[in-house]
Amino acid sequence: MSPVLEVSNIHKAFGGIKAVNGVSFSVKEGEILGIIGPNGCGKSTLFNCILGQLDPTEGTVKLDGKEVTGMRPSDLNRLGVSRTFQLLQVFPELSVRENLILAGQEHEGTMLSRFFGRRDAGLTEKADRMIGFFKLGHLVDAKAGGLSYGQQKLLDAAMAFMAGPRLVLLDEPAGGVNLTMLGDLKERLRAINAEQGATFVVIEHNMDFVMSLCTRVLVLAEGKVLAEGTPAEVRANRQVIEAYLGH
Ligand code: ADP
Ligand code: MG
């Protein structure tokens, strides 16, 4: 069976800066792959190249064995791929429920179908299910902008799951989130992985989070893959300790 995601030899340069310098990896169905590495080593740029936000200078991206390099994010959504951003993408003036419904609409269709009054299509129910699942029930009608940072991060993650994606790429979902919410987020991701067989790629700095959640870890340094293995293998890798964990 083809891997769900296969990334081959991705390069991305910004002027003279080689942000991503020949990265390859693949992810099998149901895996939770962690990506770690120092700030500025190219993690977010790699995601942006995979997800159609940026055109890679070189390299290919395949989904289920089919090339999707450069495909637009909205088309990738339709193929079951979703993401969260390092910086929050919630709409501060809208309520928690409205944010989720909007995220669902993005996935469901075109402006045209919305314009012609496509019915709610079960989005409110779906939003309410997601609210329950992410334990945001007491905040349904609260404006997203008034939530704590951690609550906004949870909402952001919930939004990525509105369309029931098979593959989700999360960029630092735990950044700035307190310990309790971190535990909640981890538990939610595990449940979605176990119950729906969803596959995740997670960029994260919080080592405990990565090491306890991920089945495999990829370590980047200066735009390249420095090491790859189980959490235990990566932790014991001398190069990784020197380049990253030791700091
Ligand atoms: P990470 O997510 O690992 O912290 P990034 O992918 O954000 O790293 O950045 C990798 C490198 O590329 C950094 O040197 C950063 O300054 C640079 N970079 C990222 N995005 C851009 C951009 N849009 N234009 C120019 N340089 C960029
Ligand atoms: Mg980043």
Side-chain angles (χ1 to χ4, degrees):
M1 204 167 70
S2 307
V4 175
L5 176 67
E6 191 175 2
V7 170
S8 308
N9 197 30
I10 294 286
H11 289 252
K12 181 68 191 178
F14 297 109
I17 302 171
K18 290 184 173 174
V20 179
N21 198 4
V23 171
S24 303
F25 68 91
S26 61
V27 193
K28 281 187 275 191
E29 179 117 49
E31 269 197 300
I32 305 180
L33 176 74
I35 299 185
I36 64 173
N39 269 332
C41 73
K43 303 180 297 296
S44 293
T45 303
L46 176 63
F47 265 21
N48 290 336
C49 288
I50 295 171
L51 292 158
Q53 264 91 23
L54 286 173
D55 279 327
T57 320
E58 203 180 307
T60 57
V61 179
K62 287 183 182 173
L63 267 184
D64 301 313
K66 289 193 207 85
E67 185 162 349
V68 296
T69 320
M71 192 182 269
R72 286 178 312 166
S74 53
D75 292 329
L76 286 169
N77 277 166
R78 254 165 247 135
L79 295 175
V81 183
S82 186
R83 76 170 298 179
T84 71
F85 287 86
Q86 184 168 354
L87 299 173
L88 287 163
Q89 300 285 306
V90 303
F91 296 95
E93 288 303 316
L94 298 183
S95 73
V96 165
R97 186 190 271 127
E98 287 164 345
N99 264 285
L100 285 161
I101 291 173
L102 204 64
Q105 284 173 342
E106 299 270 311
H107 293 278
E108 297 249 323
T110 62
M111 285 305 289
L112 207 64
S113 64
R114 253 183 268 168
F115 187 72
F116 285 109
R118 189 190 177 125
R119 73 252 107 100
D120 180 78
L123 283 175
T124 304
E125 275 160 53
K126 227 186 251 179
D128 286 347
R129 266 208 306 280
M130 214 43 84
I131 284 163
F133 195 64
F134 279 87
K135 299 184 182 167
L136 293 165
H138 54 303
L139 299 166
V140 236
D141 296 317
K143 278 191 181 178
L147 306 186
S148 74
Y149 184 74
Q151 289 166 335
Q152 291 191 39
K153 288 291 264 194
L154 273 185
L155 172 59
D156 198 44
M159 285 164 71
F161 288 100
M162 271 301 284
R166 326 166 31 216
L167 172 66
V168 187
L169 284 76
L170 301 111
D171 195 348
E172 300 198 21
V177 174
N178 75 34
L179 271 182
T180 315
M181 275 187 201
L182 207 69
D184 279 351
L185 178 64
K186 192 160 73 183
E187 184 206 317
R188 297 300 82 198
L189 294 179
R190 269 208 192 112
I192 295 172
N193 173 255
E195 287 161 22
Q196 296 165 26
T199 307
F200 300 130
V201 184
V202 190
I203 294 176
E204 189 41 65
H205 277 296
N206 185 307
M207 277 307 131
D208 291 336
F209 186 88
V210 170
M211 296 297 180
S212 58
L213 178 69
C214 299
T215 45
R216 202 153 53 88
V217 180
L218 190 76
V219 187
L220 294 188
E222 295 177 359
K224 291 185 173 166
V225 176
L226 180 72
E228 189 182 349
T230 63
E233 284 165 355
V234 161
R235 237 189 202 137
N237 183 303
R238 179 173 298 278
Q239 272 180 303
V240 176
I241 295 167
E242 276 168 15
Y244 186 50
L245 295 177
H247 289 217

